[in-house]
């Protein structure tokens, strides 16, 4: 018997395991795939220290019409999924009202504040293999229209005043000097100076996983067939073998409902699916920094495998067939700004971001069972918040005072408790 079973070997599960091992707990980590190969793998590779404002549901008529008529690149929906998605999306819209959103931001900001600190801790412990993947010079929000640039500068100033977020403003000549191979069509950019970027997110999770193994953690490769409460803890069946532990952590991202619902936890979770593709740059061309084109809705990031284009949000069922329509639109828009070469990957990568209607993750104890914990629902910031979540869970599970107040992230907020 282990002290802890963790279901899910993405960045949240691996980080939680590391923090528990450091506290003297024995840990068994279970996943049907290799560590870090699902949601943790497919992102723009940003540790978003500036991301104090989670993605709200759009409330302006122009954006809603663009999404509703399938004109938007940043968001689209599958009509057949709407009946099942409608209840959590309606609550998402409600929680995005100005009054509610101000509360969400105030509660969310301290969690984002742990992002760089907790990644830095694991990077240092994981050693050169992790360190070589990291760049510490921020990323760029690049604007096509001067009006949108000015509006977002105002928001950035407010975030600097309230949360201490660092930024600089670049006009088009300064941005062109920084990225000389940009073609044009931009008015300028906001340079978020606090975040770090990663040239291979999956490899960084892999480096963290090696640290997990070095500390004595056990990995079991296989799908967990449920999770069952026992007299002295929890058990699960993996590849025909029963694993037991005194405590259990569900860190399965979009697959968490498969385990939670049989235990009686019906949470209003939904997914925002996303896609990415790698491209070779045109001959003699280089992209040096991560750029996000917010007026279209995609990111362009230099990665070890090539230039990665990542899409916005697709509201669809988790396991529905891929519909990489947004990727084609994003690629077309990106070629207007930068000389991309041919595609590198045989097929677009597809993943699912696990989301909650109030835009905040669930971190902490499940209220109806002893010894059951969850770290799920991080939406667009799972890669950013994985180590912070792992730290907080390990602290809660071992009776320590948590680094920040985790009461706003309790599961009970969705269960009427």
């Amino acid at each position: 018997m282990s002290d802890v079973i963790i279901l899910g070997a993405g960045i949240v599960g691996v980080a939680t395991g590391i923090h528990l091992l450091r506290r003297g707990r024995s840990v068994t980590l279970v996943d049907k795939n290799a560590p870090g190969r699902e949601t943790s793998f497919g992102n723009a590779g940003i540790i978003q220290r500036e991301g104090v404002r989670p993605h709200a549901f759009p409330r302006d008529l122009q954006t809603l019409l663009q999404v509703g008529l399938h004109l938007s690149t940043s968001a689209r929906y599958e009509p057949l999924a709407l009946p099942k998605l409608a209840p959590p999306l309606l609550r998402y819209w409600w929680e995005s009202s100005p009054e509610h959103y101000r509360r969400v931001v105030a509660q969310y900001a301290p969690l984002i504040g742990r992002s760089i600190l907790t990644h830095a801790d694991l990077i240092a412990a994981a050693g050169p293999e992790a360190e070589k993947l990291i760049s510490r010079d921020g990323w760029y929000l690049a604007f096509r229209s001067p009006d949108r640039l000015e509006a977002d500068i105002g928001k950035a100033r407010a975030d600097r005043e309230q949360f201490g977020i660092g930024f600089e403003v670049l006009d088009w000549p300064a941005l062109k000097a920084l990225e000389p191979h940009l073609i044009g069509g931009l008015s300028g950019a906001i340079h978020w100076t606090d975040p770090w970027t990663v040239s291979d997110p999956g490899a960084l999770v892999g480096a963290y996983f090696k640290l997990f193994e070095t500390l004595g953690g056990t990995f079991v490769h296989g799908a967990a067939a449920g999770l069952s409460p026992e007299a002295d803890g929890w058990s699960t069946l993996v590849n025909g073998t029963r694993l037991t532990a005194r405590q259990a952590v569900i860190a399965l991202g979009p697959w968490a409902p498969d385990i939670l619902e049989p235990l009686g936890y019906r949470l209003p979770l939904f997914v925002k699916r996303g896609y990415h593709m790698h491209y070779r740059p045109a001959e003699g061309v280089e992209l040096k920094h991560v750029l996000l084109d917010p007026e279209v809705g995609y990111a362009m990031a230099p990665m070890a495998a090539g230039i990665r284009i990542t899409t916005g949000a697709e509201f669809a069922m988790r396991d529905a067939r891929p519909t990489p329509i947004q990727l084609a639109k994003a690629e077309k828009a990106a070629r207007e700004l930068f000389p991309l070469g041919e595609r590198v990957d045989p097929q677009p990568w597809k993943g699912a971001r696990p989301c909650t209607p109030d835009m905040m993750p669930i971190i902490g104890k499940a209220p109806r069972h002893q010894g059951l914990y969850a770290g799920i629902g991080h939406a667009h910031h799972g890669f950013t918040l994985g180590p912070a979540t792992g730290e907080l869970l390990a602290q809660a599970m071992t009776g320590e005072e948590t680094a920040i107040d985790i009461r706003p992230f309790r599961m009970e907020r969705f269960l009427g408790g």
Side-chain angles (χ1 to χ4, degrees):
M1 172 181 280
S2 300
D3 291 322
V4 184
I5 291 173
I6 300 174
L7 302 186
I11 193 166
V12 173
V14 171
T16 303
I18 290 169
H19 282 285
L20 286 166
L21 289 164
R22 285 173 165 178
R23 288 161 172 79
R25 301 300 196 265
S26 58
V27 180
T28 300
L29 183 65
V30 178
D31 203 302
K32 63 181 179 181
N33 293 314
R37 305 313 293 180
E38 286 289 351
T39 310
S40 302
F41 177 81
N43 53 74
I46 310 172
I47 302 170
Q48 287 194 256
R49 172 62 185 89
E50 91 297 339
V52 293
R53 299 184 183 275
H55 289 258
F57 197 100
R59 298 178 74 85
D60 63 286
L61 183 59
Q62 180 181 0
T63 302
L64 290 172
L65 284 174
Q66 287 180 337
V67 175
L69 297 174
H70 282 163
L71 301 177
S72 172
T73 301
S74 61
R76 74 178 300 274
Y77 65 92
E78 280 295 304
L80 294 178
L82 285 183
K84 290 186 177 180
L85 292 175
L89 290 183
L90 181 61
R91 184 164 177 179
Y92 181 18
W93 176 85
W94 176 257
E95 296 284 1
S96 299
S97 70
E99 178 184 355
H100 290 163
Y101 190 66
R102 280 192 294 270
R103 183 197 70 239
V104 166
V105 171
Q107 294 174 337
Y108 194 71
L111 181 60
I112 283 286
R114 300 295 301 168
S115 60
I116 294 291
L117 295 172
T118 50
H119 269 281
D121 168 38
L122 296 191
I123 290 164
E129 183 178 350
E131 180 62 39
K132 70 182 181 181
L133 303 170
I134 308 301
S135 174
R136 293 174 172 81
D137 58 357
W139 66 280
Y140 295 79
L141 198 59
F143 294 89
R144 296 172 179 244
S145 68
D147 290 346
R148 178 67 188 274
L149 172 60
E150 286 302 315
D152 277 60
I153 290 172
K155 296 175 184 176
R157 286 173 178 153
D159 287 347
R160 180 167 61 192
E161 181 177 346
Q162 185 175 0
F163 303 111
I165 305 300
F167 75 96
E168 300 171 343
V169 178
L170 286 76
D171 59 14
W172 166 243
L175 183 58
K176 178 70 171 176
L178 185 75
E179 291 284 357
H181 296 112
L182 288 174
I183 297 168
L186 293 169
S187 296
I190 294 172
H191 173 202
W192 297 113
T193 56
D194 296 335
W196 294 357
T197 58
V198 182
S199 62
D200 188 334
L204 184 64
V205 180
Y208 291 168
F209 174 69
K210 288 184 180 179
L211 173 61
F212 168 83
E213 289 190 309
T214 299
L215 292 171
T218 300
F219 177 61
V220 176
H221 194 177
L227 187 65
S228 302
E230 305 286 347
D232 55 352
W234 293 88
S235 71
T236 186
L237 195 66
V238 183
N239 299 329
T241 299
R242 185 161 297 280
L243 306 175
T244 60
R246 295 175 180 85
Q247 294 176 309
V249 178
I250 298 173
L252 285 166
W255 294 275
D258 297 351
I259 300 296
L260 283 168
E261 290 187 0
L263 293 170
Y265 298 96
R266 297 193 63 86
L267 303 171
L269 299 172
F270 63 98
V271 300
K272 296 180 185 177
R273 302 201 312 181
Y275 300 83
H276 79 229
M277 171 61 68
H278 293 105
Y279 300 80
R280 292 186 178 89
E283 187 175 353
V285 169
E286 180 185 10
L287 181 69
K288 300 177 182 179
H289 303 88
V290 178
L291 300 178
L292 194 148
D293 183 352
E295 290 164 279
V296 176
Y298 67 93
M300 183 163 47
M303 294 276 178
I307 295 173
R308 179 181 289 186
I309 301 292
T310 68
T311 68
E314 179 186 55
F315 295 93
M317 301 310 295
R318 182 190 69 191
D319 300 323
R321 65 178 181 81
T323 54
I325 297 168
Q326 289 163 290
L327 181 62
K329 293 180 178 180
E331 178 182 327
K332 182 173 184 268
R335 291 186 185 279
E336 297 171 359
L337 304 181
F338 186 84
L340 292 174
E342 68 274 16
R343 291 184 170 192
V344 173
D345 307 321
Q347 297 292 334
W349 181 90
K350 174 182 72 70
R353 307 176 186 98
C355 302
T356 66
D358 65 1
M359 296 156 279
M360 299 201 301
I362 295 168
I363 302 172
K365 185 181 180 301
R368 298 168 182 164
H369 294 86
Q370 289 297 318
L372 179 62
Y373 293 80
I376 56 176
H378 294 80
H380 296 262
H381 288 155
F383 184 72
T384 292
L385 293 175
T389 299
E391 173 193 57
L392 293 167
L393 280 173
Q395 290 168 339
M397 294 170 71
T398 56
E400 294 180 31
E401 181 179 357
T402 53
I404 64 169
D405 182 5
I406 63 172
R407 286 176 295 178
F409 312 109
R410 294 179 305 166
M411 190 184 293
E412 288 94 322
R413 70 189 195 268
F414 298 122
L415 299 173

